[in-house]
Structure formats: structure tokens, C-alpha cells
Amino acid sequence: MKRIELIMQQIVSRSREGQASSAQELAELLSLSRANVSSDLNQLWREGRIEKSTTRPVRFSLPGIQPKALMNAGLSEQRKTEGKQTWERKRAGSFPPELKRNIHHSENQLQTSVMDQLARDCQSLAALIEQAKAALLYPPHGMHTLLFGETGVGKTMFAGLMYEYAVEKGILAATAPFITFNCADYAHNAQLLVGQLFGVKKGAYTGADHDRQGLMEAADTGILFLDEVHRLPSEGQEMLFTFIDKGFFRRVGETDGVRQANVRLIAATTENPTSALLATFTRRIPMMISLPSLKERGLEERLQLIKQFFQEESYRLGKDIHVSGNSIRALLLYDCPNNIGQLKTDIRLSCAKAYADFISLRKTEMQITTADLPPHVKEGVLHVEQNRQNIEKLIGEKKYFLFHPDQEPYIIEDSSVMDNNIYERMEQKIVQLRATGVSDTELYTVLTSEIEKYFTTYLTNVRKSFNQEDVLKIVHPEIVNLVEDIVTYAQTILNRTLTRNVLLGMSLHIQTLIDRIGRGKTISNPQLNQISKLHKAEFMVALECVSKIEEAFDLDIPLDEAGFLCMFFVLDEAQPEEIKNYVGILVMMHGNSSATSMVEVTNRLLGTNHAVPLDMPLEKPPHELLEKAKEIAKTIGNEEGLLFLVDMGSLLTFGEIVQKELGIPVKVIPLVSTTHVLEATRKAISGSTLDEIYQSVLAVSSHEIQEQSVKRERNKLPKQVIVTACLTGEGSALVIKNLLKNYLRFHNESLQIIPITCVDQNKAKQELEALKTNRQILCIVSNFRLDIDAPQYNIEQVLSLQAIPEIQQIINQEEIYKKMGETLEAHLKYLSGEQVLADVRATIKRMERKLQQKLYQDELMGITLHMCCMIDRLKGGGEVAEFKEKEAYKEHFKEMLTVIQGQMQPIELTYGIMVEENEICYLAKFFLMSEANQSHV
């Protein structure tokens, strides 16, 4: 029996006994890997064969059966009954049975959705998430959506969350399919592509020996996710937009009849949609969502992602994972060009190494330190000093983070079975090896090899070496001084020269040793007796080392540590120091000392002499300067290449000449500053390639240009303002302004906080009215009531931080509207997106006042987007979708429909359209959904 069916059998058995099962319970019951059990459970759930709870830990059972464990896991039965009675009393028979399923949300929807949780953790995604919700809620069948962003920003994850949200909100059934298709696999075979998407009729072509269903049919009533959609040839895009327009298709080879499917499309691309996709295709996908890169999301969100990924691994393994504070700092600050995808892979690789230590008995618990991180990740520790203030604000001086397996993460991507199997493969390998009687050392070697093989495709894309000079910058100077003393002593006693590897390796080892002992953790060395007998001289030196460390740091160090220190001296004989060439850096600038000054600053800051200057006095002819440049290039140049950083003129041509004459690669960066020289030298001494350094320095140039542009733009006033008011316009108004700047997240280009005086309230009102003429007042903070139409908060509400979440929500909402306006501007066919959005917002406010009901965020975004598109469609003479429950709505919600119809009249007059009953019912549904949600709060 297959593993998945074995798990299903247990679910059936336990459900009938009134028990719901967690992944951990089933793994222990069946003696299986928790990772694989979790993967199979989620597969069964996606197929609709089982249900899962919204509680933590998640529990699974048969559909339609209410196990006791589930009944007790959420709200108590008493609270459920009370909630239901309150709702029934409020609506008192207003809802006929055929409407309840559409309006009255289930208890599960009272739980926080995965998208809401993500929005709270990642504020940069809040506006994008609201866009996604609006696309899913758009009646009657939602909007097709295009996600775009760099490689690894999380487009696949975001599409999966949209599906999860649609199921949670009842937009899609729990059994609705979510189908993923990578267009790159069929980019150059249009016929095969069409067959994959739309299916094949038997006999359509050679080899088509049976009818085959396409992805459109498989995804019926659900979502089809088209990854790398820019790889679709134009024929494929045309066929897709034909399906979008008409809602029907034919299989390849079919000539009679048509097939229909109700499919929501989510497409993803790393390219610019306007240049990579047909305009006729993009016009049919009105909702475009641009996902930010990891750098754009900031350190706070990066920390949330790091915690999330470690929590996933803890959950997969069913074990606690201890992660050192320095490891978290490195992960926060290292260069991660492939975004979230790379971050997740680096964390998984670190966990795999720590797991190898654990199951080979090298460690008694799963513990990750900087030693377990991939080499390029460790470099992040080098940036701690310049980011210390931000890092301390995030994690303080915390030395360890602990992740528990019983705290299931809210997102687990099981897209690759291989991802989940690395731990199982290691477990199987260790059972096989132990059966043959191999030693623990050999066990660890084999496991490490397995890990390297597993991550080969990724490891080939990152540097496997960690620059030795940089390692010293991680270690406390006091430890470095001590190790230098130890190495000098050891060389004298052993009568041989030790390589720099000993200094570097022992420095790192002693730093972690001190940290470990400070936490009361000790490690036994099972080979201690053998080491002391085989390497007597080195062991005696190691004992003296232990004494030196104890004296320097006032510690009691176990004898076992001498065995580890001894091996630094023993193994050094077989490890001659590697000689590595680095890219040469030559700075050439006009003037008597410009280049020299810049290079002196750079080399001093980085503790190196790697960068070389060449000053170019104006009176010197160019050919003399070229000869000097050639001489220096011969000295510092090698097969790794040279980078010239120059200011202007003839210097720009030197690179090509030197490359031709010396036969080594040369690249030239013009218009340099000290920042450019620092970046180039830092990357060079860390072992980066010429191309990597060149691109990194270019990025600095781009950033500086962008910064200059931003400074120019600051002269333009932001469109939105928050007003703080007090008697003088200074005092408490300035205090509140500074407090708001500290606690609110916003872009300075979009929002300004303005303190004003309100000693004369008439003048204050005039000043506010003047602001309103060309700017938008989001809210006012003042202890004096000002008669103006904007939310107002008193100073006490802000100082206590009580009002901060509400104000932040106002800011976030405006950001969403801004993005919505940009989207509408690009995709509405007959109207100005920004203008119609402004009119719709005003209309919705009037509806809320008349109905005395405030729309929830989800419904507010949904109705706004719906109304804008509806007006544009009606303006163009488009058809109106039939509202199935129209007659029931007219009977039960007559008053609401009348109010909405009345408030739509200004829109009808302004745009010359008629909004008929079906459309009014669609608008009413948004208010009823929001009302149903509010009744449960």
C-alpha cells in the first residue's frame, strides 16, 4: 500500500472514532517522517478527501464528520450558540435559506486568514494583498490576475495564498482545484502547449491514441496558475485571451461543439509585462500586482521571513531548532540576490547540516551557529557594525532563538516532494551505515556529502569560499590577540610554522567555545584518549592553550576541549594555505591627489591595501599616464581581472587598451566617488568575480542617482497630510509629529505630517481648508475639536499608541487606492481610472452614511474595484451579468437596494449610464457580506 493511502486509512479509522489527527500524531503512529506525512496530508486536503482545522496544531479528519478534538479546538459550543443567537436576533428572519450560504460566513472564517496574517507580518505586502482580495471578490467570478517581480520574490507562494484565501472566504469550494503550469516547459512547441492547456482529441496527431483532458478542464471551478507566462509564444497568448473573452474552448482536433470551464487565471512573470506580453493579452488581465524584492521589504520583514522558514523546518522535522543570534544577524544582512527563494534555500541548507550533526550524534540537539551557514551567508556578520542600531532594535542582544515543532507555520510550501525528503534520505542513509559498523566521523562525512549532492544545483551558483581576512572582522579583537599569542607559542614548541588557517579557524572556534560555556553547554570528546596518545606534542600544546583561555576569560574549560584544539595543530600539516588571486582595483582621477585621498580612506576603513591610486595631474600628457597605468596593471593584474574606477576623459579608453595588451579582463566604471571605491574594494577582498564587482558598483551608481532624484522631488509637496495641532503649533504638536514618524510606516514622498497652531480656531480652520484645496487630509491629531471632515484623534489616544493602528490603516488604505488607481488607469477602456476612482469613493461614503454601516476592508476594496470596472463597462455598452438571487434580494432587502439606487444617481448623471437592478444587487451583496462579518466580531 502506498504511504498516502496508509495515512488516509488511519484518518478514516480515527475520524470514525471521533478523533482528528495531527501530522505529528500520524507520523509517530505509522513510524514515518513527519515531513512526508505533512506533505501527504496537504495533498489529500487539496484533493478534497479530508478536511483540516483552522486551529494550531492543524488537525485532519474526514469531510462531514465533527470529531471531538475539533469541537473542542476552536470556540466552545456555548460561544458558538451565543454567536448564532445574536446573529439570528439581529437579522430575525431577514435571510431566506437560499441566501444564507452566500452571505452568512462559516465559523472557520472568523479565524484570521493566511493573507491577513501575512499582511500583518509584512507591511510592504499589505496594499498588494488588498489588491489580490479585491480581484478574488470581484463579482461574479473574480478578476484574472498578473503577478510580476524579480526571481524568488514569492510569486508562486502569493498565488497559493490567493487560492487559500478564496477557499477560506467561500469564493471557491474547499475541493476547488489549484493547478500550476510552467509555461517555460512548452515555450517553443505551440502544438504541445495548446494540448497541455486545452486537451487533445484522440487521433488529432500521431501518438494521440486517446482523449486527454487539458489543464483548463482540470482547473474548472478553481484556479490555474501560469508561471513564467512571458515564455508563452504569441499563439499561446492569443488562445488564452480567446478563452478569457468567450469562456469556451475546443480540445486539439475537435471540430464539433465547444467546452466550457469556469477558471480564474493567475499568471506570473519576471519580465516587464508591457514589453514581454502581447497588449491584447495584458488588457484582458486587469489586475496587475508587482511584488517587491527582498531588499525593498526591509529588515523587519526579512526577520519575519527568517523566523517563518525556521519554523517550517522545525515543523517538518518535529524537533526543536536552536539558532544562534549571530546566525540570525548574518541571515538578516547577507547579500541575497535571488530574494526569498534563495533565503529559504540557505536556511534549509543550514538546517540540513545541523540535522546531520544531530543524527550522527555529533550534537545532542539541533543547533545552528554561524559555522552551519553557507559561506556567502556568513558574510552578513561583517555588516553588523554599520547596522547595529537597526539590528539591536529588532533582536537586541538575544543569543539564541528557539523554534518549536508544535507551532505550525501558517504557510508551508509542499510544492516539491524532494524538498521534504532531504531529512528522510539522511535518516535512511544513517540506518544503512550504522548497520555496517562505520564510525561516527565517517557517518558525518557521508551525510555531509549527501547534503552537498542534494543542494548541488544551488551551491554551484554561490561562492564556496569565505575570505580569510573577513573572518577576522567577525571575531572579537581580544580573542584574535589571544589566538595570535597561542599560535606563536605553538610554533615555538612544535618547531614549525603554522598556516593562517590555524589562526582563523581557532579564532572562530574559541569565540563559539566561550559563548557555549557561558550558556552552560559542554561537549564531550569521545576520541580524547586516542588523540592524547597519537599526538602527544600537539596535545600538550593544546593543554597550555586551555590554560591561556581560562586565564584570559576567567572560565573553567573541560579537558575535552583540549582534544578539539589539538586537532587544529595536527590537521594543519595536511592543509597548506591556498593562494588566491583577487580582482585588482585601480583608481585613476584627474588632479594631484584626488585618487590617493579616496584610496587612503577606503584602505583604512577596510583594513587593507588592496586598492591602488593613480593621480593624473592636468599638465601630464595622456600617453605618459597610460604607461603608468600599464605598469600598475602588470603588478596588480591577474587572471581574475582588473577594475578601473575613473572620473572622465581619456581615462575611459584605458581599460580597452590594457585588456588588449595584457590579455586580462578589464572593466571600467566612470564618474566614481569614495562610495564606489569602498564597494569595489570590499567586494574584491571578499573574493567576488569581476562581473559581480562591476554589477555591484553599478548598483551604487544607480542608487546615488536615485537618491539625487529623490532630493529633487522633495521640493514637491506630498499629496497627503496628517495634521497635528496645538495652541502654538510647536510644543505638543511637534512631539506628536515626531512620535507619529517613529510609529507609522509611510513614504515621505506621499505623506507629510504638518504641525499647525490652533490658538485661533477660525484661522486653523481656514488653514485646513486651504490644505484641502490641493492636498488630502488623512486625519487630525488635536485636543481641540476642529470642524472639518476628517478623522480626528486626541493627543492622549496617540501618546498611548491606541490610535496608531487606526491611523496606519488609513495610510495603508490610501496606498491601496493609489495602486488601484494606477491599475485602473492602465486598464479601463473608456474612462480615466483616477477620476472614476475618486467619484466611486465619494459615492461609497454616501452609501455608508445612508445605510449607517461601515464596510470592512475586504468588502470596501472589492466594491470599489467592482464599481469602477462596472462604470467603465456600462459606458462602453457592455453586458450585465445576471444576479441569480435578484428576486429574493428585492423581497428581503428592498430598503437597502433603494438607498443604493438613490446614491448611484450622481454617477449615472456624470457618466451617462444606467445602473440597473442586477448591478444594484451585486453592490448590496458587498454590504450584506460585511454586515454578516461584523455580527460575529
Side-chain angles (χ1 to χ4, degrees):
M1 183 183 292
K2 290 184 178 179
R3 183 182 66 213
I4 193 168
E5 294 304 328
L6 188 64
I7 292 169
M8 185 64 195
Q9 190 179 74
Q10 285 297 324
I11 291 284
V12 171
S13 174
R14 289 168 65 86
S15 292
R16 286 173 178 166
E17 294 173 0
Q19 298 181 46
S21 309
S22 69
Q24 180 65 31
E25 289 167 349
L26 289 170
E28 292 173 357
L29 187 66
L30 298 171
S31 299
L32 293 172
S33 161
R34 176 176 179 161
N36 288 325
V37 171
S38 177
S39 175
D40 289 343
L41 285 170
N42 281 294
Q43 179 63 33
L44 289 167
W45 174 75
R46 282 192 290 268
E47 293 172 359
R49 297 173 64 185
I50 61 175
E51 290 181 344
K52 67 177 179 180
S53 71
T54 55
T55 56
R56 294 291 183 267
V58 170
R59 294 183 174 275
F60 299 83
S61 61
L62 288 178
I65 294 180
Q66 183 73 10
K68 296 173 185 176
L70 287 183
M71 291 173 66
N72 296 328
L75 296 171
S76 69
E77 287 302 312
Q78 181 182 355
R79 285 185 63 196
K80 290 181 183 178
T81 302
E82 289 172 354
K84 183 176 180 182
Q85 290 171 348
T86 302
W87 168 246
E88 293 299 337
R89 282 197 301 271
K90 181 170 182 179
R91 296 306 300 171
S94 297
F95 292 97
E98 66 269 21
L99 298 185
K100 286 185 179 178
R101 64 178 179 273
N102 295 325
I103 300 167
H104 189 184
H105 294 330
S106 67
E107 292 290 343
N108 285 346
Q109 288 170 304
L110 301 182
Q111 303 288 338
T112 299
S113 75
V114 289
M115 294 197 85
D116 291 331
Q117 181 65 49
L118 182 63
R120 279 202 291 270
D121 290 344
C122 302
Q123 283 293 322
S124 67
L125 299 183
L128 310 181
I129 285 170
E130 293 304 327
Q131 282 184 275
K133 288 179 180 179
L136 292 167
L137 289 165
Y138 187 81
H141 302 301
M143 277 186 170
H144 303 302
T145 304
L146 179 65
L147 309 175
F148 58 98
E150 297 175 10
T151 299
V153 295
K155 296 184 289 294
T156 301
M157 183 198 76
F158 198 85
L161 286 176
M162 288 180 69
Y163 168 77
E164 294 266 355
Y165 178 78
V167 172
E168 288 175 351
K169 294 289 285 186
I171 300 165
L172 296 179
T175 56
F178 179 70
I179 307 293
T180 297
F181 178 65
N182 193 320
C183 302
D185 297 339
Y186 304 93
H188 305 295
N189 190 329
Q191 185 184 51
L192 189 56
L193 168 68
V194 174
Q196 288 290 326
L197 286 176
F198 300 108
V200 177
K201 182 177 174 61
K202 180 179 179 180
Y205 50 77
T206 304
D209 52 3
H210 64 280
D211 289 345
R212 180 160 55 83
Q213 185 187 61
L215 295 175
M216 283 297 176
E217 291 174 83
D220 188 26
T221 72
I223 290 176
L224 175 59
F225 174 55
L226 300 175
D227 200 8
E228 297 191 68
V229 72
H230 62 276
R231 300 294 298 277
L232 280 181
S234 56
E235 305 97 303
Q237 293 182 44
E238 287 168 359
M239 290 184 154
L240 271 179
F241 72 64
T242 299
F243 167 75
I244 292 170
D245 278 350
K246 299 180 179 179
F248 60 78
F249 62 93
R250 290 189 178 96
R251 289 181 179 177
V252 175
E254 280 185 336
T255 55
D256 299 327
V258 292
R259 297 174 182 271
Q260 290 185 316
N262 177 14
V263 177
R264 298 167 191 253
L265 294 178
I266 301 177
T269 178
T270 54
E271 305 297 317
N272 184 339
T274 57
S275 59
L277 298 168
L278 295 177
T280 48
F281 180 61
T282 55
R283 277 203 299 269
R284 287 163 172 82
I285 303 186
M287 181 58 76
M288 293 195 177
I289 299 175
S290 176
L291 296 177
S293 67
L294 192 59
K295 286 182 180 177
E296 293 170 319
R297 293 176 65 167
L299 289 180
E300 187 174 353
E301 289 189 17
R302 186 158 171 171
L303 178 61
Q304 289 294 338
L305 289 167
I306 290 167
K307 289 179 177 179
Q308 171 65 20
F309 295 149
F310 274 121
Q311 191 60 55
E312 286 186 18
E313 298 309 304
S314 174
Y315 180 75
R316 291 176 199 278
L317 285 163
K319 300 186 185 305
D320 286 350
I321 298 180
H322 302 254
V323 185
S324 72
N326 274 341
S327 297
I328 298 294
R329 292 179 182 93
L331 287 161
L332 277 169
L333 297 173
Y334 83 102
D335 186 26
C336 191
N338 290 318
N339 295 295
I340 298 170
Q342 179 178 347
L343 178 66
K344 184 167 188 174
T345 302
D346 287 331
I347 287 173
R348 183 162 292 175
L349 174 56
S350 305
C351 289
K353 288 183 175 180
Y355 192 58
D357 277 334
F358 175 73
I359 64 174
S360 63
L361 305 182
R362 287 166 59 93
K363 292 182 180 178
T364 57
E365 57 187 16
M366 270 202 69
Q367 187 181 84
I368 294 174
T369 65
T370 50
D372 301 300
L373 300 178
H376 62 285
V377 177
K378 296 177 186 176
E379 294 185 9
V381 185
L382 303 179
H383 308 300
V384 169
E385 199 56 47
Q386 58 264 46
N387 292 280
R388 184 164 297 282
Q389 187 174 357
N390 290 331
I391 294 297
E392 285 183 357
K393 185 178 177 181
L394 279 177
I395 62 176
E397 296 298 323
K398 198 168 183 178
K399 294 191 174 180
Y400 262 86
F401 289 77
L402 179 60
F403 300 93
H404 295 288
D406 57 344
Q407 298 171 354
E408 184 190 2
Y410 59 83
I411 306 166
I412 288 190
E413 292 181 85
D414 286 320
S415 56
S416 170
V417 175
M418 183 178 170
D419 282 347
N420 291 330
N421 282 346
I422 177 61
Y423 303 120
E424 185 177 18
R425 283 168 54 181
M426 292 164 64
E427 290 167 358
Q428 291 172 348
K429 180 66 69 175
I430 204 165
V431 169
Q432 294 168 3
L433 292 172
R434 283 211 167 108
T436 63
V438 300
S439 67
D440 288 346
T441 303
E442 291 171 316
L443 271 176
Y444 182 73
T445 302
V446 173
L447 289 177
T448 303
S449 175
E450 280 291 309
I451 294 168
E452 297 250 349
K453 286 179 188 175
Y454 179 79
F455 287 96
T456 293
T457 54
Y458 175 70
L459 291 174
T460 53
N461 297 322
V462 297
R463 288 187 294 110
K464 292 189 177 79
S465 61
F466 187 34
N467 180 260
Q468 295 172 344
E469 292 295 332
D470 284 345
V471 175
L472 290 179
K473 297 173 186 176
I474 305 173
V475 182
H476 195 282
E478 194 174 349
I479 294 175
V480 177
N481 293 335
L482 173 64
V483 174
E484 286 176 344
D485 180 38
I486 287 173
V487 169
T488 302
Y489 170 79
Q491 288 180 146
T492 302
I493 301 299
L494 298 175
N495 195 27
R496 59 183 168 89
T497 302
L498 298 172
T499 69
R500 194 157 181 78
N501 285 336
V502 174
L503 176 64
L504 300 167
M506 191 174 286
S507 295
L508 289 169
H509 177 80
I510 291 176
Q511 180 155 294
T512 57
L513 180 155
I514 293 169
D515 179 63
R516 190 171 64 241
I517 291 175
R519 290 181 292 105
K521 299 284 185 181
T522 57
I523 298 178
S524 61
N525 192 328
Q527 308 295 325
L528 185 63
N529 290 334
Q530 190 176 6
I531 290 171
S532 63
K533 290 176 183 177
L534 291 177
H535 311 290
K536 292 181 180 178
E538 289 85 357
F539 188 71
M540 293 303 294
V541 172
L543 288 174
E544 183 60 25
C545 291
V546 168
S547 298
K548 288 177 178 291
I549 298 168
E550 287 179 332
E551 182 179 350
F553 296 99
D554 193 23
L555 294 171
D556 290 323
I557 298 177
L559 187 63
D560 299 68
E561 292 290 349
F564 295 117
L565 293 169
C566 173
M567 298 312 294
F568 279 97
F569 309 128
V570 173
L571 297 176
D572 187 53
E573 294 177 346
Q575 296 177 356
E577 189 168 18
E578 178 187 6
I579 299 174
K580 178 173 174 58
N581 291 322
Y582 300 108
V583 173
I585 304 296
L586 177 58
V587 182
M588 296 182 285
M589 300 187 71
H590 289 86
N592 294 327
S593 61
S594 300
T596 298
S597 299
M598 209 172 280
V599 167
E600 280 180 357
V601 171
T602 297
N603 285 342
R604 184 171 178 181
L605 287 173
L606 296 177
T608 183
N609 58 359
H610 188 73
V612 177
L614 176 56
D615 295 311
M616 316 291 258
L618 296 175
E619 61 271 20
K620 291 281 185 182
H623 70 272
E624 287 186 24
L625 301 175
L626 176 59
E627 290 305 315
K628 281 190 175 182
K630 287 182 189 176
E631 291 175 13
I632 296 173
K634 289 175 184 177
T635 304
I636 67 173
N638 56 68
E639 67 273 14
E640 297 294 40
L642 279 167
L643 183 68
F644 288 179
L645 295 109
V646 305
D647 58 356
M648 62 181 180
S650 58
L651 304 182
L652 296 169
T653 65
F654 283 16
E656 185 177 350
I657 297 170
V658 171
Q659 179 170 307
K660 191 176 292 184
E661 290 193 17
L662 300 187
I664 58 176
V666 179
K667 286 187 178 292
V668 180
I669 298 285
L671 300 173
V672 299
S673 64
T674 304
T675 307
H676 297 90
V677 182
L678 271 168
E679 179 66 6
T681 308
R682 184 188 72 80
K683 296 289 281 188
I685 64 176
S686 68
S688 297
T689 66
L690 178 59
D691 283 335
E692 288 171 342
I693 299 169
Y694 181 74
Q695 292 300 326
S696 184
V697 178
L698 280 182
V700 170
S701 297
S702 172
H703 176 69
E704 288 195 346
I705 292 170
Q706 186 179 6
E707 284 293 306
Q708 293 167 8
S709 174
V710 167
K711 287 176 183 177
R712 288 194 297 271
E713 288 296 318
R714 280 175 185 162
N715 294 326
K716 300 178 182 179
L717 293 174
K719 186 178 179 182
Q720 297 164 348
V721 297
I722 292 176
V723 174
T724 64
C726 72
L727 289 176
T728 63
E730 298 179 0
S732 59
L734 287 175
V735 170
I736 293 299
K737 174 183 176 179
N738 292 330
L739 186 145
L740 291 174
K741 288 177 72 173
N742 285 332
Y743 282 95
L744 295 175
R745 291 177 294 275
F746 60 88
H747 300 293
N748 290 329
E749 297 80 11
S750 304
L751 174 65
Q752 183 181 8
I753 302 175
I754 300 178
I756 67 170
T757 177
C758 61
V759 65
D760 185 330
Q761 293 199 23
N762 288 328
K763 285 186 178 180
K765 186 177 179 182
Q766 290 173 8
E767 189 173 349
L768 290 172
E769 291 293 345
L771 276 174
K772 284 180 64 178
T773 57
N774 55 9
R775 303 171 80 178
Q776 180 186 7
I777 300 175
L778 297 188
C779 69
I780 299 170
V781 179
S782 175
N783 276 347
F784 301 92
R785 190 70 187 170
L786 296 169
D787 185 19
I788 193 165
D789 185 20
Q792 297 192 35
Y793 303 92
N794 63 47
I795 291 175
E796 184 181 352
Q797 287 176 306
V798 174
L799 288 175
S800 66
L801 306 184
Q802 178 186 344
I804 295 297
E806 288 186 32
I807 299 174
Q808 184 66 60
Q809 186 176 3
I810 293 171
I811 295 171
N812 293 346
Q813 190 167 288
E814 291 304 321
E815 181 66 21
I816 295 165
Y817 281 129
K818 178 184 175 185
K819 291 182 180 294
M820 189 182 291
E822 292 168 355
T823 300
L824 292 169
E825 197 68 40
H827 291 285
L828 293 188
K829 297 178 182 178
Y830 307 103
L831 302 171
S832 162
E834 292 187 359
Q835 182 58 53
V836 75
L837 177 60
D839 291 340
V840 164
R841 289 184 64 183
T843 301
I844 292 172
K845 280 187 177 180
R846 292 198 304 270
M847 289 180 184
E848 287 179 319
R849 281 197 295 267
K850 285 287 185 180
L851 294 171
Q852 296 183 351
Q853 180 184 338
K854 196 79 173 170
L855 287 168
Y856 266 21
Q857 181 85 345
D858 290 1
E859 285 75 25
L860 178 60
M861 294 301 110
I863 194 173
T864 303
L865 184 63
H866 170 71
M867 286 178 66
C868 292
C869 295
M870 174 195 75
I871 295 166
D872 188 68
R873 173 166 40 81
L874 294 177
K875 185 68 177 175
E879 295 181 358
V880 177
E882 183 71 23
F883 189 80
K884 293 180 181 179
E885 295 91 13
K886 181 172 69 175
E887 295 306 319
Y889 265 52
K890 287 168 67 176
E891 179 183 351
H892 294 277
F893 309 119
K894 183 177 180 180
E895 184 179 344
M896 177 180 284
L897 296 178
T898 302
V899 169
I900 293 174
Q901 179 73 69
Q903 297 307 312
M904 287 299 295
Q905 287 179 1
I907 290 287
E908 291 176 316
L909 292 171
T910 301
Y911 293 99
I913 60 174
M914 186 182 77
V915 183
E916 52 95 80
E917 288 181 335
N918 285 293
E919 295 288 9
I920 298 299
C921 289
Y922 278 122
L923 299 182
K925 185 172 181 179
F926 282 103
F927 281 94
L928 292 167
M929 289 170 65
S930 187
E931 185 179 356
N933 276 334
Q934 291 176 38
S935 71
H936 288 289
V937 174

